[in-house]
Amino acid sequence: MWLKILGSLLVVIAGTCIGFSLAGRYVERPRQIRQLISCLSALKSHINYVAVPLPEALSQCTGGITGPVADLFHTMAELLKSKGWLTPQAAMLQALTETDRLVLSKPEREIIAVFSANLGGMNREEQHKSLDLVHEQLSRIQYEAEKICDQNARMYRYLGVCGSLAVVIVLV
Amino acid sequence: MGIDVLFKIAGVGILISVFHTALKQAGKEDMAHLCTLAGFALVLLWVVQLLGRLFNTVQDVFKLF
């Protein structure tokens, strides 16, 4: 009897954890896109007004931001500093694969890759235009991600708890 | 027959209704219907076993061999 109760509790806890972690991915994505937008805005200022070299600009543009997005920019800056032969796009792609806990999905990864191909290869005005375009695209993706988050996060939480309860009922 | 199977069926019904509501709110109506169907199939599986036992009992009582 006690073994059954203990097993049921374990199943319910595991199911709830799975549901909440799946929901957490949906909650985390808009937040990371928002951080990305704010980093890119800071990078725009660094390119336009401070005019520091790219690795320094990348490591300075994450001021006040912690977490995977800041790690992404720091990794890219480190890569550009340590391996000078890498292009910004190659460094960004490598940083994207190296950074853990990044829940960005394919569209925003593609946008970042295209944006990093333009980085450092054009004059200041063109980079400004490119950053504006990226900002606009990311804002649209953020809006969509927030809508998806509203729909799915609650559903995954409910499904986690109720699914585990259903499994318990079937097994008991 | 124990009363517990009735409670089991009631529990599955309640949970399936919650599933249905959650999935419908998330805009996944096809998944909600699929989920209801899965719950129905599960309950049918239990009920069919009980019905089989009932028919066997009827056969035994009236000697229908």
Side-chain angles (χ1 to χ4, degrees):
Chain A
M1 179 67 190
W2 286 108
L3 208 62
K4 264 187 184 178
I5 292 173
L6 188 69
S8 311
L9 270 179
L10 285 178
V11 169
V12 170
I13 290 169
T16 311
C17 286
I18 290 171
F20 273 73
S21 69
L22 284 176
R25 285 178 64 88
Y26 282 98
V27 175
E28 187 70 9
R29 189 172 160 231
R31 201 174 72 89
Q32 287 191 3
I33 296 175
R34 213 163 36 240
Q35 287 185 342
L36 204 61
I37 290 173
S38 96
C39 280
L40 291 180
S41 300
L43 186 65
K44 190 159 69 179
S45 312
H46 276 88
I47 288 173
N48 279 329
Y49 304 114
V50 190
V52 287
L54 191 56
E56 278 179 45
L58 284 170
S59 55
Q60 283 171 13
C61 73
T62 58
I65 289 174
T66 52
V69 175
D71 291 346
L72 172 74
F73 281 94
H74 284 304
T75 313
M76 187 181 170
E78 286 300 319
L79 281 172
L80 284 176
K81 266 184 204 164
S82 58
K83 298 177 183 170
W85 63 87
L86 281 178
T87 60
Q89 189 180 23
M92 178 56 96
L93 289 177
Q94 199 174 332
L96 275 174
T97 53
E98 278 180 14
T99 313
D100 311 326
R101 296 182 293 126
L102 210 60
V103 291
L104 301 176
S105 55
K106 209 176 167 196
E108 50 266 28
R109 280 175 193 264
E110 278 175 1
I111 289 172
I112 299 172
V114 171
F115 145 75
S116 58
N118 297 334
L119 206 60
M122 300 177 191
N123 66 5
R124 198 178 286 180
E125 281 175 19
E126 291 301 320
Q127 288 194 55
H128 188 94
K129 278 183 198 166
S130 157
L131 274 163
D132 279 343
L133 183 69
V134 169
H135 189 285
E136 190 186 320
Q137 285 173 332
L138 282 178
S139 302
R140 205 169 53 238
I141 287 181
Q142 185 202 348
Y143 175 69
E144 283 168 11
E146 274 170 3
K147 259 198 331 198
I148 292 173
C149 168
D150 283 345
Q151 281 183 347
N152 285 5
R154 206 187 309 153
M155 181 193 78
Y156 276 111
R157 283 186 198 128
Y158 275 128
L159 285 190
V161 177
C162 293
S164 57
L165 285 175
V167 168
V168 166
I169 287 179
V170 170
L171 288 181
V172 166
Chain B
M1 185 191 87
I3 197 84
D4 56 339
V5 80
L6 285 182
F7 284 120
K8 263 187 175 182
I9 290 170
V12 168
I14 291 167
L15 287 177
I16 291 296
S17 70
V18 175
F19 269 137
H20 189 93
T21 316
L23 285 169
K24 204 170 179 180
Q25 272 184 354
K28 294 185 167 75
E29 275 155 28
D30 47 342
M31 290 296 286
H33 287 300
L34 206 66
C35 183
T36 314
L37 206 64
F40 178 71
L42 181 71
V43 171
L44 201 66
L45 218 65
W46 292 335
V47 171
V48 159
Q49 286 174 1
L50 293 175
L51 276 178
R53 271 173 54 192
L54 173 72
F55 288 148
N56 276 336
T57 316
V58 169
Q59 273 184 341
D60 285 346
V61 167
F62 294 105
K63 304 276 189 289
L64 297 171
F65 291 110

